[in-house]
Amino acid sequence: MSLRIGQIALHSKDNKTLASFLSELLDMEISFSGEAVRLTSEEFSLVIIEDPDMSPKSSMVIDFFTDSFEELQGLIQKIEFIKYRYRITFVTDEGKVLEEVKIHNVGHLHYFFLSDTDGRRWKFSYRENKTPVVNPFVK
């Protein structure tokens, strides 16, 4: 079986602000679909539905992977540039607010979290290629 992500539907107290933020962050195109805002890229799409009564507490975390550690660091620079405009925050694994980003390292995985304009957590990661284990007794 092969699975692909079709689209991710998000609810937002202010779907246009969230769409602007995500469009800038993820380099996605914005279009309008009825009352919702649609963001598209070659890999996936997001549909953001206006929901004034949405709960700011969400247990869902969306995890994106970069192709290199340098791209992960570049994303941090991009976020630093736009974070004040949208009042977003960097957060710990548990959701506590940080003044600045901290890349966490767990084995070959490097990652950080940030919160969007609705308080939803996003995770950005880079996984190093593991070096194959060499058995010195096998030729």
Side-chain angles (χ1 to χ4, degrees):
M1 173 176 21
S2 175
L3 297 175
R4 292 178 289 119
I5 292 178
Q7 69 181 7
I8 299 169
L10 303 174
H11 290 256
S12 175
K13 290 184 177 191
D14 182 353
N15 65 345
K16 290 173 183 60
T17 300
L18 179 60
S20 293
F21 163 67
L22 292 175
S23 171
E24 195 168 342
L25 176 66
L26 303 174
D27 297 323
M28 298 180 81
E29 296 293 321
I30 296 179
S31 62
F32 294 91
S33 179
E35 302 272 328
V37 180
R38 181 179 302 278
L39 298 171
T40 55
S41 73
E42 291 180 11
E43 291 80 23
F44 66 98
S45 66
L46 298 170
V47 174
I48 305 172
I49 302 160
E50 185 90 15
D51 184 357
D53 299 324
M54 77 158 277
S55 170
K57 266 301 204 198
S58 174
S59 62
M60 185 173 102
V61 175
I62 299 174
D63 192 359
F64 289 95
F65 281 85
T66 62
D67 290 331
S68 70
F69 186 73
E70 290 75 22
E71 285 182 353
L72 189 66
Q73 291 174 316
L75 190 56
I76 290 170
Q77 291 173 338
K78 186 177 197 177
I79 292 165
E80 285 288 353
F81 180 74
I82 64 175
K83 79 177 193 178
Y84 296 105
R85 182 176 347 155
Y86 295 103
R87 297 186 185 107
I88 61 167
T89 55
F90 293 110
V91 293
T92 63
D93 295 7
E94 299 81 27
K96 294 180 182 172
V97 175
L98 296 171
E99 288 303 313
E100 59 185 48
V101 70
K102 178 178 181 191
I103 294 179
H104 303 276
N105 301 308
V106 178
H108 295 281
L109 181 68
H110 307 276
Y111 65 93
F112 68 89
F113 286 95
L114 76 104
S115 291
D116 66 20
T117 57
D118 288 312
R120 185 179 298 104
R121 292 186 334 148
W122 298 74
K123 182 180 176 192
F124 295 90
S125 307
Y126 167 67
R127 184 181 311 274
E128 295 175 15
N129 291 332
K130 290 185 176 182
T131 306
V133 176
V134 178
N135 185 339
F137 300 106
V138 176
K139 290 188 179 191

